[in-house]
């Protein structure tokens, strides 16, 4: 990664970038604690584990970092604990996040980060050894297949994705907004929906289905402290558009697929 590659440009746009830049999320990161949630349009709250994100990398995090290969791109890096941990070990790593507060905190920890969406142009495209999608960031954009395709364009030939999945068997696409649980939700109308953005939650079986349809093969699966992870590597086999479209149409709501649709464990992603 060259010096030019690490220029701290700002290009994050769209409803998702705006949502993660709002006061509840920025305030939580600056304070290092919650409460913080993703609120679905039906009012259901998914807790976000801000305290863990703002702490040092724990044993589960380190189990993923030890499996990284080459230079590492942490997508949705949040307050930067993984980027900082890699930097402290002499690894080349870059975090990208749409939140200014997240990037600021990552830089203070000694990591390198850009305020970007994963779908913006990024440094080193096609040259990263590992892409991290930890803390549930496989849900970014609400389109797991699209995110896996994007990761393929970021990685070098034979590169690795390490993703953390939901601790339940779920394949869910929803619209959510960032919520601290303290403020009244906006009244019905355009303002009530403008802050919502698409999100996805995948358990390991669902991620493996999406991945295989797009040419990703699992090379490792493990769990630490109740947090499941999957490592995927791109295969050389071509994937037809038909198989990809079939996977895109397979997502269903948590009420149909989740073993426990009211699970209230702290969320695995931001």
């Amino acid at each position: 990664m060259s010096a030019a590659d690490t220029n701290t440009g700002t290009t994050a746009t769209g409803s998702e970038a705006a949502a993660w830049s709002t006061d509840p999320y920025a305030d939580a990161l600056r304070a290092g604690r919650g409460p913080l949630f993703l609120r679905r349009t039906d009012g259901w709250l998914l807790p976000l584990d801000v305290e863990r994100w703002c702490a040092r990398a724990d044993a589960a995090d380190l189990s993923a970092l030890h499996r990284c290969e080459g230079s590492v791109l942490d997508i949705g890096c949040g307050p930067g604990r993984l980027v900082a941990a890699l930097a402290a070990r002499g690894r080349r790593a870059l975090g990208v996040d749409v939140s200014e507060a997240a990037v600021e905190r990552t830089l203070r920890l000694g990591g390198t980060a850009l305020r970007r969406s994963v779908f913006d142009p990024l440094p080193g495209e096609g040259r990263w050894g590992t892409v991290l999608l930890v803390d549930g960031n496989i849900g970014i954009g609400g389109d797991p297949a699209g995110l896996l395709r994007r990761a393929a364009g970021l990685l070098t030939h034979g590169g690795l994705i390490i993703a953390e999945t939901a601790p339940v068997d779920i394949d869910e696409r929803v619209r959510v907004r960032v919520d601290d649980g303290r403020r009244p939700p906006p009244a019905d109308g355009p303002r009530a929906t403008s802050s919502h953005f698409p999100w996805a939650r995948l358990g390991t079986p669902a991620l493996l289905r999406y991945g295989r349809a797009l040419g990703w093969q699992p090379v490792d699966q493990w769990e630490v402290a109740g947090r499941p992870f999957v490592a995927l590597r791109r295969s050389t086999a071509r994937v037809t558009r038909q198989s990809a479209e079939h996977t895109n149409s397979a997502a269903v709501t948590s009420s149909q697929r989740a073993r426990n649709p009211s699970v209230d464990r702290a969320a695995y992603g931001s």
Side-chain angles (χ1 to χ4, degrees), residues 165-252:
T165 58
V168 292
D169 184 3
I170 189 171
D171 184 350
E172 175 186 68
R173 299 190 201 178
V174 291
R175 293 189 65 82
V176 297
R177 65 181 177 86
V178 182
D179 193 315
D180 63 7
R182 299 167 177 161
R183 311 169 196 213
D188 291 341
R191 285 188 59 209
T193 57
S194 63
S195 60
H196 286 84
F197 56 90
W199 193 255
R201 296 175 66 214
L202 298 185
T204 295
L207 176 58
L208 294 180
R209 286 196 303 274
Y210 285 105
R212 287 189 175 111
L214 293 168
W216 293 95
Q217 297 300 320
V219 295
D220 202 355
Q221 297 178 54
W222 71 100
E223 183 173 318
V224 177
R227 295 171 57 194
F229 297 87
V230 177
L232 302 169
R233 200 182 302 278
R234 185 82 163 175
S235 75
T236 56
R238 292 187 61 187
V239 180
T240 67
R241 177 176 297 180
Q242 180 179 5
S243 66
E245 289 175 349
H246 174 75
T247 301
N248 283 340
S249 67
V252 294

Side-chain angles (χ1 to χ4, degrees), residues 8 90 97 104 113 118 121-122 143 149 154 206 251 264:
T8 55
D97 202 289
E104 288 174 351
V118 62
L122 293 175
D143 179 8
R149 291 189 194 97
L154 295 169
D264 60 359

Side-chain angles (χ1 to χ4, degrees), residues 52 58-65 67 81-82 132-138 161-170 201-208 220-232 259 263 265-269:
R52 178 171 62 78
D58 61 18
D61 297 327
L62 294 176
S63 74
L65 300 187
R67 289 169 166 84
R81 73 188 191 283
L82 303 182
L132 288 177
L133 289 165
V134 180
D135 299 329
N137 286 327
I138 188 65
I161 287 179
I162 296 179
E164 182 177 354
T165 58
V168 292
D169 184 3
I170 189 171
R201 296 175 66 214
L202 298 185
T204 295
L207 176 58
L208 294 180
D220 202 355
Q221 297 178 54
W222 71 100
E223 183 173 318
V224 177
R227 295 171 57 194
F229 297 87
V230 177
L232 302 169
R259 286 197 292 257
V263 63
R265 295 180 60 173
Y268 52 93

Side-chain angles (χ1 to χ4, degrees), residues 25-26 29 77-80 97-107 113:
Y25 183 62
L29 290 194
C77 66
D97 202 289
V98 296
S99 164
E100 182 178 359
V103 170
E104 288 174 351
R105 184 157 181 148
T106 302
L107 296 175

Side-chain angles (χ1 to χ4, degrees), residues 41-109:
T41 53
D42 62 4
W44 186 80
L45 294 173
L46 180 69
L48 301 178
D49 200 348
V50 177
E51 289 82 359
R52 178 171 62 78
W53 299 345
C54 291
R56 292 176 179 270
D58 61 18
D61 297 327
L62 294 176
S63 74
L65 300 187
H66 290 158
R67 289 169 166 84
C68 289
E69 301 173 357
S71 57
V72 181
L73 182 66
D74 184 6
I75 295 173
C77 66
R81 73 188 191 283
L82 303 182
V83 177
L86 287 165
R89 289 160 175 75
R91 299 292 299 273
R92 296 200 313 169
L94 174 69
V96 293
D97 202 289
V98 296
S99 164
E100 182 178 359
V103 170
E104 288 174 351
R105 184 157 181 148
T106 302
L107 296 175
R108 286 200 304 271
L109 290 177

